[in-house]
Amino acid sequence: MRLRGVRVSNNLTFEGAVLNAAPGGDGTVLAGLLMQVADFDFTLARPPSSTVDVRGAQESYLHDNEHS
């Protein structure tokens, strides 16, 4: 999933999500470089199968758990 530079003025939720890399892809399951999110819920159901890249991302509130 590519969310580079996206701006979300409210909630962005991955609550209960399962993030798997696409076959033949670059191995990144979430590319959110420089994204801006008011409320980011990253409480995954299980650990992602590959890389999560959120360098430079900004969020007002971050919710996570042991899987993320």
Side-chain angles (χ1 to χ4, degrees), residues 1 4 10 13-14 18 20 23-26 29 32 35-37 39 48 56-57 59-62 64-65 68:
M1 180 175 301
R4 293 178 183 159
N10 205 340
T13 183
F14 286 88
V18 175
N20 291 319
D26 69 358
V29 295
M35 70 178 185
Q36 296 176 357
V37 181
D39 192 350
E59 63 281 323
S60 297
Y61 299 98
L62 172 64
D64 64 352
N65 62 15
S68 54

Side-chain angles (χ1 to χ4, degrees), residues 6-12 34-42 56-64:
V6 70
R7 290 182 181 189
V8 179
S9 61
N10 205 340
N11 300 338
L12 175 61
L34 302 173
M35 70 178 185
Q36 296 176 357
V37 181
D39 192 350
F40 187 32
D41 186 342
F42 201 60
Q58 298 176 7
E59 63 281 323
S60 297
Y61 299 98
L62 172 64
H63 311 273
D64 64 352

